[in-house]
Amino acid sequence: MNWLDILILVIQCFVIALAVTTAFAYLTLFERRLLARFQNRVGPNRAGPDGFLQPLADAVKLFFKEDIVPSAADRAVYLLAPAMAVIPAIIIWAVVPFGCLNINWDWRACFNDPYATTPLRNILQIAEIDVGVLYLLAVTSIGVYGITLAGWSSNNKYSMLGGIRSSAQLVSYELALGCAVLAVVMTYGTLSTHEIVVLQTSLWGIVPQFLGFVLFMIASTAEVVRAPFDLVEAEQELVGGYNTEYGSMKFALFFMTEYIKLIAVSAIAVTFFFGGWRFPGLQTLGTGVEALAGPIAASIAVGLASLGSFLLKLVAFLFLSVWIRASWPRLRYDRLMDLGWKWLLPLGLINIVYTAVVYVLLPNQQVAAFVLFGLSLITLAIAGSFSRVPKPVDNVTYVKDLPRSAGD
Amino acid sequence: MDLALFLIAGAVALIGAVAMLMARNAVHSALFLLLNFAAIAVLFLLLQSPFLFAIQLTVYAGAIMVLFLFVVMLLGAEQVEDTPDRIAWQRPLGLLLGLALLAVAVIAGLRTGTTPLPGGEAVATFGNPASLGALLFTRYMLPFQITGVILLIAVIGVVVLNQRGRQSAESGQATGD
């Protein structure tokens, strides 16, 4: 590794960290404006044109707030918790392929069979490792520490409840998330994120893995503790949840973690189920630009176009996520556990069985993908038609139904 | 560079392990153990096995320690009482076993220290998920299956124990009425 590679790596890390934090700032504005529209309000529109400077104003406000540590808090852990929350949220971006800009100036290497040996130096993905998917799962599973430790170290009952809820919720939904991701890995036969994108040639991952996609969306929303699964910061019950005792920039770090993780899981969903940076016609664009302006221009054009396509899909997902938040009320805690363990996990296991059986029985990938799609729809329809969940009215005992002896 | 990384990761792992034993607070102990796990994960990376690195983080750091923290927090058992150990022979036995382990490690190190390490072809696919999976489903099929069955027994045991507790609680309520 020479100094140029190291320099490129440092610049990549710097750009990603900066881009992700900026994206966080503007996601808050995006969300507030959209939520306002959903609720027939206007939303923040005073700072700058259409509220464009609102994130800046929020940041300045948070910077200048008094930075306090509660006297009864466990000081070291209290200060460590925000860092332990925000670091996984940022390092998860290392294996996400944003696009494909090959700086060996051969754009065809991006679309190569992954087992080919053409060298690919894609500067739009920091680390192309052969266990990228496992890395994603590992980093997501570490993310729970920040919240849990914040809840414990604050020495506050409400924070503590938030922390306990978070560890139980995240451990439960990690299983469903893992099952959904495992089915994707089985479909493409690789653990590398770049190869998963490359292999989604004619059909995006959502076709063979529709059930996986639905499970992934539910489980990942729970994993980033976002509405309707945001029980760890249920304001009505827990004052503020795990971050009650945090103020100033330490609070901002938790806030940031939540949003960066949301963007990250959306990016992962795009990578696994919506073709990542691919879009139909990308190769035609590469050939066309190469004929007009040579291979360097073609590489850059493919790189920028793929980056643009990825970001567009990402924004669509973020919109969906705001929409979900605006539409669904928060789940009750027992229902949350019920959903995770009794619905998502069995469905995830069924999906793994489907994937394995269908791909072994049907050698044609396309046919297999559509058979899996059909099976997913049927399974979801059956699962949706079970309304075994007790409704509040079922828990009411009428006086006339009580056995007579009990009253005496 | 590898040697420097190895020394740093090894030192961090050792510090984490010693600090875990010394910490008075159970949550601090858990965090030091987490540091130890992370350093060992880095050592796996240095040994060219990214798969073990990811598994180390997911299983130990991401699942086991989280459950441990959950229980400690739920029970509020983070403070260690200063009462002397109830099992008096535990500490000397622990020391003895630790020394035995150290002796084994030193002997193993001394014996392989002089012979050159096997190199060559195996390194290219060593430890990658595909070859690991192939081994698990061919050569180590039986141990793999047995592990699965043992885990299944544990799961069934948890369900049965939980069910029994629930039934006795319900019957207790019924008689209480």
Side-chain angles (χ1 to χ4, degrees), chain A residues 140-213:
Chain A
T140 339
S141 64
I142 294 177
V144 61
Y145 281 105
I147 297 178
T148 310
L149 290 175
W152 175 78
S153 66
S154 299
N155 207 352
N156 172 328
K157 284 197 178 67
Y158 293 117
S159 300
M160 179 80 161
L161 281 172
I164 289 177
R165 279 183 180 189
S166 83
S167 46
Q169 175 179 340
L170 268 66
V171 167
S172 307
Y173 277 77
E174 221 170 76
L175 289 169
L177 192 76
C179 284
V181 170
L182 187 60
V184 175
V185 171
M186 287 166 75
T187 309
Y188 295 108
T190 174
L191 287 168
S192 140
T193 44
H194 174 74
E195 285 172 17
I196 286 180
V197 173
V198 169
L199 287 168
Q200 297 181 40
T201 40
S202 50
L203 287 176
W204 284 350
I206 188 170
V207 178
Q209 287 303 327
F210 186 71
L211 188 55
F213 171 67

Side-chain angles (χ1 to χ4, degrees), chain A residues 74 77 84 130-131 134-135 138 141-142 144-145 148-149 152 160 163-164 167-168 171 191, chain B residues 25 27-28 31 34 50-51 53-54 57-58 61-62 65-66 69-70 73-74 78 128-129:
Chain A
D74 188 315
V77 181
M84 286 191 75
D130 62 355
V131 289
L134 284 177
Y135 175 85
S141 64
I142 294 177
V144 61
Y145 281 105
T148 310
L149 290 175
W152 175 78
M160 179 80 161
I164 289 177
S167 46
V171 167
L191 287 168
Chain B
N25 187 316
V27 172
H28 292 176
L31 286 179
L34 187 67
F51 182 76
F53 158 80
L57 282 187
T58 316
M65 286 315 289
V66 172
L69 268 184
F70 178 73
M73 283 168 61
L74 201 66
E78 59 259 24
N128 77 348

Side-chain angles (χ1 to χ4, degrees), chain A residues 335-354:
Chain A
R335 300 279 289 273
L336 176 89
M337 287 293 145
D338 217 52
L339 182 69
W341 288 103
K342 296 183 185 165
W343 294 96
L344 294 188
L345 186 60
L347 281 177
L349 293 174
I350 289 174
N351 191 29
I352 288 175
V353 172
Y354 282 166

